[in-house]
Amino acid sequence: MARLTINGETRDIEVDPETPLLWVLREQAGLTGTKFGCGIAQCGACTVHIDGVATRSCALPVSAVEPGQQIVTIEGLSEDGSHPVQQAWLALDVPQCGYCQAGMIMAAAALINSTPSPSDDDISAEITNICRCGTYNRVRAAIKLAAETASASQKG
Amino acid sequence: MTVATLSRRKFLIGTAATAGGLSLGFHVPFAAQAEGSSAVLPEINAWVLIRPDDTVVIRIARSEMGQGTLTGLAQLVAEELECDWSKVTTEYPTPGDSLRRNRIWGSFSTGGSRGIRESHQYVREGGAAARQMLISAAADLWEVPADECSAANSVITHASSGRTVTYGAVASLAAQMPMPTNIALKAPREWKIAGKPLPRLDTRDKLIGKQIYGVDLTLPGMLNASIRACPVFGGKVASFDATAVSGMPGVRKVVQVDDTAVAVVADTWWQAHSALNALPIVWDEGPNTNVTSETIAEMLREGLDAEDAVVGTAIGNARAALDGDARVVTATYSFPYQAHATMEPMNATARYTTDKCEVWVPTQNGEMSLAAAAEASGLQIEQCEVYKLHLGGGFGRRGNYQEYVRQAVKLAKEFPGTPVKLIWSREEDMLHGAYHPVTQCRFRAALDAGGNVTAFHMRISGQSILWPLRAEVRETGRDPVVFQGLSDGGTEGAFGYTIPNLLIDHAMRNPPVPPGFWRGVNLNQNALYVECFIDELAHEAGIDPLEFRRKLLGDHSKHLAVLEAVAERVGWEKPAGDGIHRGLAQIMGFGSYVAAAAEVSVTDGQLKIHRIVAATDPGHIVNPAQAERQVEGSFVYGLSACLYGECTINGGRVEQENFDTYEVMRMDQMPAVETILMPSGNFWGGVGEPTIAVAGPAVLNAVFAATGKRIRQLPVKNNSLGA
């Protein structure tokens, strides 16, 4: 049994404690927006937020997550796709196949939360997710656009 | 060919031929109504459904895997339909429906950058026919001649009376209209929807976690499976001890699949995979345990000098010219195995009963998936159906090679009536690819005193993708796909350089590692080989690489035009920045002309790619925004291969099992990319693949400019760039 707070909702889930958080999210919680890519925390497709920190969920046993910790998945980033990162992604039409994009968006949202005006070096260092379609340059542009939008709305 | 007489065997052959790269022609675009289709009313024709609320559903047979084909093909239909683009959605027809309707949607094969260039004619005709039928319906309603009515933005207008009606209001009537026999298409210069940089239709769901990929499918009561095939190519299952895991949580069954694999079926995938990891399996590793990258390289080296080779292109007498007293330059290149490494691992979901087999799968060729379902289920093809799901990357892996479908069906047969979803682990995906084939290439070229290339022999030695797929290739040793970009003329991939004595030949050598179509296919290494060697010749001749190519490309103005475009944009004639060095490359492939210029620096042996300028002339461009993304993205695929990509073989198996050892390009290595789209009209070339091929050679030629070192054995990571 694991008690988890996912997208603001506390749930008791019957599961082997060694199960990676990714598979609990996908198979027990029914949240398939978070993707399986590698299983060894290499590609970032499984990125979620735990207490606001971008975390690769595929190699993290669910037992390592405390009941009070806030897990946020792509489904919970905003209610309606209105998060500045999602809006920037939409404005620049970033995704191609889209499979890595939920992880990219979650990693980007955590980055602009911790570093409101990320430099190119910040982006290169923090966004290490793999995209095989090759969206990297548009991801970079969208992160900058999202950072601008987010800081403008805070000032406004 | 009608459904009644279409034998399963014929279908299998037909789909194999299609997927092999040479598509069957399109058949009877509007057969549905002639046959009295049972399809629901708002279907105007096979391509277009219109609901009473004016929503337009456009059917797309090709698969969306990121390349934007859903949007691009819909733009072509909508253009001729004259519909309101804001009301357009898309849906996939099923391969089973297509078969029942006499293959009304044509080929489902999505590869070879063919989606638009092969189907633009018939999808536009589908849109135009639907428009004419809608207009006829309105004209009937108003009792006026159809030619007094016109359509725009989903509204039909009768000019003289000013009456209007929306498409949705006359859709049912339009569906009853006779098929137009005279369908005229717009000239591309008249396009209002096609040819425009419209946003993709499928973006929003990808931003909120709502897009359903194959791995995401959930069906009521579904079981989940993880599988492991013998990691050694040609090996089999000797034994396994199911009792060791049968009591583990959620485990339903341990199943041997064919001779080669064992799967665990459980309530959840993680349970299945955990049990599979704990399952003792003994492999009979078979005949290939002594195969290594070195034995494969040796096998290919022998082919470089072999007497016996298949000629691709021969002009003049290159051998004689090279045996004379000319100055001869030689070089040998090699390109290793590559994994597709789609972000979404291979998967398929199947439900089997004694009279029906259904498969849900992300596939590049729904008809191949259907054929695989029939074969694995043992049912008639008419009893099978495939529902296509969105692909988390394809790149050629999900076309011809449908083993995950066959496996899923065989697992589902163990649980009649219950759906079983099979997901491969990343390790399974990397160990059982359809790998970009290995080749080596030896050049011998003769230069005269004026720096002219008087003779050129390119010998390719290595693997054939078609060899496992086609009997005639096994019989003749001739695989036309080997010569991509090297043809003597033609519309697919003409060799651009005019050389009086030219010989391009292939010694086929097939190691026991399964080869496959891999985005860009053989154009990738052919362009790399040729463009790096042309750079070598320019250097040997003491002539600027652009000038050297200009002389050789004089007969091929489109090849030259894209090269000139990137040279001009990168500022070839002007000095580069401090420590920055440049390289060029051009090629024709997949019906398009492409070129790239790269700017790199090498500091303390570390390569940094600063900027790439790319140009492409694909004739017509249906969505410039998506074409730009394809060019940009293709460099990530091409440069990942050039810089890092390598599956090494040891003990008859691939050594790289995951992204920790199979390196790919990430954000920090991504250069700025500037794309020049220069469609010159009058032909239809592909977009998704060709530019991959010029990324590598442009970079390698820049590396030479920076270091004086020629990288001839790929990937770059195995070479020292330091002093």
Side-chain angles (χ1 to χ4, degrees), chain B residues 284-296:
Chain B
D284 165 6
E285 293 189 333
N288 295 320
T289 53
N290 292 325
V291 175
T292 67
S293 290
E294 188 43 43
T295 64
I296 292 170

Side-chain angles (χ1 to χ4, degrees), chain A residues 16 18-20 23 26-28 32-40 42-45 56 58 74-75 77-78 80-81 86-87 89-102 104-105 123-125 127-140 143, chain B residues 65-66 198-200 202-204 206-209 211-213 215-216 218 224 268-270 339-345 390-393 395 421 423-427 518-519 626 628-630 632-634 636-637 640 658-660 662 664-668 670-673:
Chain A
D16 181 325
E18 290 305 304
T19 307
W23 291 100
R26 289 181 56 82
E27 300 201 295
Q28 273 83 23
T32 56
T34 307
K35 298 295 188 250
F36 167 56
C38 68
I40 58 168
Q42 273 286 319
C43 78
R56 293 183 179 178
C58 71
I74 187 72
E75 291 90 346
L77 186 63
S78 66
D80 49 2
Q86 289 166 314
Q87 286 297 301
W89 247 250
L90 185 65
L92 300 187
D93 213 8
V94 174
Q96 291 188 25
C97 90
Y99 193 81
C100 72
Q101 298 288 314
M104 285 277 190
I105 288 168
I123 294 170
S124 291
I127 310 297
T128 58
N129 302 40
I130 295 174
C131 169
R132 295 286 284 158
C133 295
T135 61
Y136 294 131
N137 286 346
R138 282 168 211 277
V139 166
R140 183 182 293 278
I143 291 172
Chain B
M65 49 190 176
L198 301 180
R200 298 174 65 112
D202 56 348
T203 294
R204 193 171 289 272
K206 293 172 181 171
L207 308 179
I208 56 177
Q211 177 74 59
I212 298 296
Y213 298 83
V215 297
D216 300 330
T218 305
N224 291 271
T268 70
W269 188 82
W270 183 253
H340 292 86
T342 60
M343 290 311 296
E344 179 192 27
H390 206 85
L391 286 73
F395 312 124
K421 177 164 75 178
I423 305 176
W424 287 15
S425 65
R426 174 59 59 192
E427 289 76 12
W518 190 100
R519 188 179 185 185
Q626 295 313 316
E628 214 172 88
R629 283 162 176 77
Q630 285 302 296
E632 210 172 281
S634 77
V636 176
Y637 217 64
S640 288
N658 208 319
F659 288 117
D660 53 345
Y662 190 78
V664 297
M665 186 183 249
R666 298 186 194 233
M667 186 94 95
D668 59 336
M670 182 70 191
V673 176

Side-chain angles (χ1 to χ4, degrees), chain B residues 260-495:
Chain B
T260 54
V262 184
V264 176
V265 182
D267 292 341
T268 70
W269 188 82
W270 183 253
Q271 290 169 334
H273 190 61
S274 302
L276 185 66
N277 282 336
L279 180 69
I281 307 174
V282 179
W283 304 110
D284 165 6
E285 293 189 333
N288 295 320
T289 53
N290 292 325
V291 175
T292 67
S293 290
E294 188 43 43
T295 64
I296 292 170
E298 185 51 40
M299 182 182 181
L300 269 55
R301 270 195 291 275
E302 182 274 324
L304 291 175
D305 297 316
E307 289 286 317
D308 200 16
V310 167
V311 174
T313 300
I315 295 166
N317 190 336
R319 286 184 189 278
L322 285 160
D323 287 342
D325 54 1
R327 179 176 164 210
V328 174
V329 181
T330 67
T332 305
Y333 286 78
S334 69
F335 195 85
Y337 285 114
Q338 308 278 336
H340 292 86
T342 60
M343 290 311 296
E344 179 192 27
M346 297 304 108
N347 66 87
T349 303
R351 179 163 57 199
Y352 170 88
T353 61
T354 51
D355 58 4
K356 193 168 174 63
C357 179
E358 296 165 287
V359 171
W360 294 258
V361 60
T363 176
Q364 287 178 246
N365 189 340
E367 292 186 326
M368 290 290 280
S369 302
L370 184 64
E375 182 199 324
S377 66
L379 297 175
Q380 295 300 306
I381 199 138
E382 295 80 5
Q383 295 173 293
C384 300
E385 186 56 289
V386 166
Y387 308 100
K388 299 201 303 176
L389 295 169
H390 206 85
L391 286 73
F395 312 124
R397 179 64 183 85
R398 293 181 149 112
N400 283 273
Y401 319 102
Q402 298 285 330
E403 69 274 40
Y404 39 88
V405 168
R406 285 188 287 272
Q407 292 170 347
V409 168
K410 287 180 178 177
L411 292 170
K413 284 182 83 170
E414 301 287 324
F415 299 89
T418 299
V420 177
K421 177 164 75 178
L422 170 68
I423 305 176
W424 287 15
S425 65
R426 174 59 59 192
E427 289 76 12
E428 192 67 10
D429 193 272
M430 290 257 181
L431 292 176
H432 296 286
Y435 303 92
H436 185 296
V438 276
T439 56
Q440 295 181 11
C441 178
R442 177 167 297 162
F443 290 103
R444 296 170 66 222
L447 286 172
D448 70 12
N452 300 300
V453 185
T454 55
F456 187 99
H457 178 200
M458 176 181 188
R459 161 62 63 85
I460 301 164
S461 172
Q463 202 161 3
S464 156
I465 299 169
L466 293 185
W467 188 83
L469 298 174
R470 293 195 192 168
E472 76 265 23
V473 174
R474 292 191 288 277
E475 282 154 21
T476 61
R478 171 179 291 278
D479 175 353
V481 176
V482 163
F483 299 106
Q484 277 185 306
L486 307 174
S487 304
D488 181 13
T491 57
E492 182 70 12
F495 190 67

